[in-house]
Amino acid sequence: MIVKTLQGLEEVLAKELSALGAQEIEPGLRMVSFVGDKELMYKANFCLRTALRVLKPIKTFEAREAEDVYKAVSQIEWSDYLDLKTSFAVDSVVYSEDFKHSKFVAYKVKDAIVDYFREHTGQRPNISVANPDIKLNIHISGNSCTLSLDSSGESLHKRGYRVATVESPISEVLAAGMLLLTGWQGECDLYDPMCGSGTIAVEAALLARNIYPGVFHTSKYAFENWKDFEPELLEKIYNDDSAEREFVHKIYASDIDPAAVAAARANVKSAGVADVVEVAEKSVQQFEKPEGKAVMVTNPPYGERITAPDLLGLYRAIGEKLKHRFVGNDAWIISYRQQTFDQIGLKPSVKIPLYNGSLDCEFRKYQIFDGELKTFRSEGGNIKTDDDIRKMKSKKPLKPRRDFKDAMYGEPESDNDDIPAYLRIRHRSFMASQKEREAQNERRRTDYDGDRESFKDGGRHKHRDEHRRDERKSTDRKNRSPWAKNSTKKHRYD
């Protein structure tokens, strides 16, 4: 079987699979393959914190053109997996010079399945893009093709406990992966001083108590629609809480945004961990020194989807608080730009490349000690453990982080500059909108001139819609807005 994950989390996912009893574990790029039985497949969906979906391959073959795919898929006994009452959909991932269009590959798989049933029954099965009973995945790398059954259905990062959100929340899978990378298992307090909607805090509480994310799963797993589904086996896994443990410490989460604090409290309550997670409304500057041992894991703004009035000043404040309020502890920070890391003013012991959405970030560990680095080392201190060195060697650096080139992002102001930071940011936004407006006007003028020349020549000018409408509409009633029945607007729910 194959488990899909985020790039950079392959090793921690492999460790999770090993703990579940998987065999022949082989990490790859954004995936880990393993061997196991049906029970292990159910557990992988229910227990894994860093999994996006679990695939069960049913055929591997070579193909150089679309007809090769069609022939190979046609040879499968599809009556073992489908019938005329079950609907299906095909997803495709293609990395090949011979196959340019992934959707065309998916169409050939669909045609082969439909033709199989037409030949054997005279009827065609149902195809449902929005909410299929059976989901298939075709993966092509070069000329190697793997056709799999998707056992998960909805992406496993959608735990089910999130009832409130903020702009650009961190993925539950990424948050859990970051916590597992730190090695923290609940042996001390944990802090997130920029918690947003509280995802890191909730995932930390679940990890500390060893509560599996599957307990919150509200939608059906795709394997529940398979012909060989065993409901008693899934019920046994669901009701087994023997691995859960007590957590005697505390998780502290805070944010300066009142809306984020409200969302975090709602999600903490929804997850049933309000007794161990304390959420407060305060800034990084108000961070207080913990009484005992603690670990910090946080996801500050990067200046991309979310920013701050003085972004670089925020990172300088983080560095100052760590130096004076977090001595003797470890802090893990994920960010996107080298320039933001530079403002922290501390030497990291670990740099791990991770993707947060489409942004290639780094997850850095800072060991906070008292005094200068030379003194710390002369006294036998070491900012890099053997495990830290191993982590650094096993990770290849991603693309260099882009630096800020505009003072509007919050670079240090000169002595004579008395313009407030928030006005500078507004000015930058205004100038960007002006440039976009000018570009749109230029495109309109070009189209108009082209139209005139086209009509002069007796031709016809066809306009193309640059933004195609998404034809896929959700049929899940619980996720639909009550006023969306007759509306043409699209609604996105986190």
Side-chain angles (χ1 to χ4, degrees):
M1 286 173 278
I2 296 169
V3 185
K4 308 286 285 185
T5 188
L6 300 175
Q7 186 169 338
L9 301 182
E10 296 89 352
E11 286 188 13
V12 291
L13 174 57
K15 289 181 180 179
E16 283 194 276
L17 283 165
S18 178
L20 289 181
Q23 302 295 319
E24 300 181 33
I25 301 170
E26 294 184 11
L29 180 61
R30 296 189 295 274
M31 55 78 70
V32 177
S33 64
F34 71 100
V35 172
D37 57 12
K38 184 189 297 185
E39 182 176 1
L40 187 58
M41 184 186 70
Y42 289 6
K43 285 184 176 180
N45 280 281
F46 189 84
C47 303
L48 294 177
R49 304 178 193 277
T50 56
L52 292 173
R53 58 185 65 251
V54 182
L55 305 176
K56 180 184 176 182
I58 55 177
K59 188 177 182 68
T60 301
F61 56 93
E62 297 288 322
R64 296 190 176 276
E65 58 183 13
E67 285 305 313
D68 295 338
V69 175
Y70 178 88
K71 291 178 182 178
V73 176
S74 299
Q75 295 171 1
I76 299 174
E77 290 295 331
W78 285 107
S79 57
D80 295 339
Y81 307 101
L82 298 168
D83 56 42
L84 295 175
K85 296 181 180 179
T86 57
S87 60
F88 75 95
V90 183
D91 183 30
S92 56
V93 180
V94 177
Y95 303 99
S96 174
E97 292 294 327
D98 295 329
F99 299 91
K100 302 295 184 181
H101 303 288
S102 58
K103 287 187 177 181
F104 182 66
V105 174
Y107 291 149
K108 297 304 290 186
V109 174
K110 179 208 69 174
D111 290 344
I113 297 173
V114 170
D115 291 347
Y116 170 90
F117 280 97
R118 278 176 171 168
E119 180 181 346
H120 287 78
T121 67
Q123 302 180 59
R124 58 173 291 161
N126 297 320
I127 299 172
S128 174
V129 176
N131 190 28
D133 297 321
I134 305 294
K135 296 187 71 172
L136 297 162
N137 177 276
I138 177 75
H139 183 280
I140 300 179
S141 179
N143 300 119
S144 178
C145 308
T146 302
L147 182 63
S148 306
L149 286 168
D150 183 349
S151 70
S152 305
E154 189 174 55
S155 176
L156 297 175
H157 84 274
K158 298 180 179 179
R159 307 290 204 226
Y161 62 73
R162 192 194 292 273
V163 294
T165 187
V166 294
E167 185 179 359
S168 300
I170 191 171
S171 163
E172 292 87 339
V173 164
L174 179 57
M178 288 162 52
L179 290 164
L180 290 170
L181 284 168
T182 69
W184 182 83
Q185 293 288 330
E187 63 277 6
C188 64
D189 291 347
L190 185 134
Y191 286 74
D192 181 4
M194 288 161 282
C195 68
S197 60
T199 306
I200 292 177
V202 173
E203 291 294 327
L206 300 181
L207 175 61
R209 286 180 164 174
N210 204 31
I211 298 173
Y212 295 128
V215 299
F216 304 102
H217 202 80
T218 55
S219 59
K220 290 176 64 176
Y221 294 107
F223 64 73
E224 294 185 60
N225 294 318
W226 294 4
K227 290 187 173 183
D228 62 349
F229 171 55
E230 297 182 26
E232 298 82 7
L233 182 57
L234 179 59
E235 192 73 14
K236 171 189 170 184
I237 295 171
Y238 182 87
N239 291 322
D240 183 10
D241 58 359
S242 59
E244 295 183 11
R245 55 179 177 250
E246 186 181 1
F247 177 53
V248 297
H249 298 283
K250 201 80 172 179
I251 297 168
Y252 298 93
S254 60
D255 203 287
I256 194 174
D257 181 8
V261 171
R265 286 172 175 164
N267 293 329
V268 166
K269 183 179 179 181
S270 174
V273 293
D275 57 327
V276 296
V277 179
E278 183 178 304
V279 184
E281 181 183 335
K282 59 183 177 180
S283 66
V284 173
Q285 288 80 357
Q286 296 173 299
F287 176 75
E288 299 175 358
K289 182 180 180 180
E291 295 181 1
K293 183 73 175 176
V295 171
M296 179 185 291
V297 181
T298 192
N299 174 41
Y302 308 156
E304 284 293 309
R305 292 168 292 188
I306 301 178
T307 188
D310 183 6
L311 188 65
L312 299 184
L314 172 63
Y315 280 81
R316 287 195 297 275
I318 294 172
E320 287 298 317
K321 287 298 177 181
L322 290 178
K323 293 174 191 176
H324 299 101
R325 294 285 186 269
F326 215 59
V327 175
N329 299 306
D330 295 338
W332 290 78
I333 300 172
I334 185 172
S335 191
Y336 175 58
R337 301 179 189 273
Q338 179 63 43
Q339 200 166 352
T340 57
F341 281 122
D342 291 343
Q343 302 304 311
I344 295 175
L346 298 171
K347 184 178 179 62
S349 57
V350 176
K351 302 177 184 178
I352 301 177
L354 290 177
Y355 271 95
N356 186 358
S358 61
L359 301 178
D360 52 321
C361 302
E362 275 191 349
F363 189 41
R364 296 190 177 186
K365 175 186 177 182
Y366 297 92
Q367 185 177 345
I368 316 302
F369 52 86
D370 197 8
E372 296 183 354
L373 178 59
K374 291 182 179 179
T375 305
F376 178 73
R377 283 176 170 169
S378 65
E379 295 175 352
N382 187 4
I383 66 170
K384 289 186 180 180
T385 65
D386 293 339
D387 187 53
D388 292 339
I389 295 172
R390 184 191 61 79
K391 287 178 180 178
M392 290 286 286
K393 287 183 177 179
S394 65
K395 299 294 182 181
K396 296 181 180 179
L398 298 177
K399 296 182 294 183
R401 256 56 56 194
R402 298 192 300 266
D403 283 342
F404 294 123
K405 296 181 180 179
D406 194 329
M408 304 305 171
Y409 282 106
E411 288 189 311
E413 302 176 8
S414 64
D415 293 337
N416 297 325
D417 189 357
D418 58 354
I419 301 175
Y422 76 92
L423 286 180
R424 293 157 27 126
I425 293 174
R426 286 184 183 179
H427 176 71
R428 176 185 172 274
S429 178
F430 171 76
M431 293 302 295
S433 63
Q434 284 290 96
K435 289 181 180 179
E436 176 61 25
R437 195 174 291 112
E438 291 175 2
Q440 289 179 356
N441 290 337
E442 181 61 29
R443 287 195 293 268
R444 290 193 187 101
R445 284 194 294 270
T446 303
D447 291 344
Y448 177 71
D449 293 340
D451 285 348
R452 288 197 306 172
E453 294 300 321
S454 177
F455 282 117
K456 284 181 182 179
D457 297 336
R460 300 177 64 183
H461 182 77
K462 295 182 178 179
H463 295 278
R464 293 183 179 178
D465 187 357
E466 294 179 353
H467 305 283
R468 293 184 176 178
R469 293 183 177 178
D470 188 352
E471 295 179 354
R472 290 164 41 171
K473 297 180 180 178
S474 174
T475 59
D476 190 350
R477 295 183 62 185
K478 71 181 180 64
N479 285 332
R480 290 191 60 186
S481 170
W483 56 82
K485 182 177 181 181
N486 298 317
S487 174
T488 59
K489 293 183 179 180
K490 290 168 61 180
H491 300 272
R492 186 175 76 89
Y493 294 85
D494 194 326

